Amino acid sequence: MKISHVVWDWNGTLLHDNEIVLAAVNEVFVGFGGTAITWADWQAAYTRPMRVSYETVLKRLLDEEEWAQVDKLYHDRYDALLAEALLADGTQDVLKGLAESGRTQSLLSMWFHDRLTPTIGEFGLTSYFTRIDGLVAEVGGGSKADSLIRHLEAQNLDPADVVLIGDVVDDADAARAAGAGSILVSTGAMSRDALEATGFLVTDSIQEAVALLK
């Protein structure tokens, strides 16, 4: 795969945050009168828009006010636990190796931009990326497609030269919409079966993903 630029996803890809995601998700379900679920349950329910995932588990529709409450409950709990999250195994070496190979890298996340950028800085990763974009809206959970298109246009990148490495079907859908390639890793919020159904390559680690670029 001849690629000159890699766009990285953050949560579930470079950041191993599954445990705190599950804790934050369960904060929502218990707060809305439900019961806690397992990681496998969340993987089975996970989709975009995120609102549908919660409605699936809660077995009812959410109005706009309730969705805003869900989003706040989730992110308040997630932020409280963020210090417990670690980078995916080998992240520093993978990013360094790609840089040394002559490829450029950027990062696009649907996590809030004002939380994303300092967190990446705290992990000492900022210098690896030509651009970092997070969500600028007040409520999250939408598709990544438009954000990826803008992310590539802002860097004057030809999508044909780009691969997006992420952990959910929405990453694959966004890459397809933008005309870019995608490699998915089975380390995050979706099952391997769901990832493979996209038709894109699926690996078990970021190391295996970047190996496909050589």
Side-chain angles (χ1 to χ4, degrees), residues 123-198:
F123 280 111
L125 303 180
T126 303
S127 63
Y128 288 113
F129 305 118
T130 56
R131 185 179 180 92
I132 298 171
D133 283 321
L135 184 69
V136 294
E138 293 184 3
V139 178
S143 169
K144 201 171 197 171
D146 289 342
S147 296
L148 178 59
I149 291 169
R150 292 193 297 269
H151 183 78
L152 299 183
E153 288 177 345
Q155 300 179 85
N156 295 312
L157 291 168
D158 182 347
D161 298 328
V162 175
V163 67
L164 168 61
I165 300 179
D167 70 307
V168 296
V169 168
D170 188 52
D171 291 311
D173 291 342
R176 187 172 280 115
S182 183
I183 301 172
L184 302 172
V185 290
S186 61
T187 55
M190 299 195 81
S191 69
R192 189 181 185 95
D193 287 345
L195 299 179
E196 289 177 343
T198 68

Side-chain angles (χ1 to χ4, degrees), residues 11 15-26 39 74 77-86:
N11 306 91
L15 185 70
H16 178 71
D17 60 352
N18 294 351
E19 290 81 5
I20 67 171
V21 165
L22 183 61
V25 163
N26 281 326
W39 184 246
Y74 174 88
R77 183 61 172 158
Y78 183 93
D79 287 351
L81 297 173
L82 182 59
E84 299 177 17
L86 301 172

Side-chain angles (χ1 to χ4, degrees), residues 22-36:
L22 183 61
V25 163
N26 281 326
E27 184 83 1
V28 172
F29 294 136
V30 173
F32 271 71
T35 58

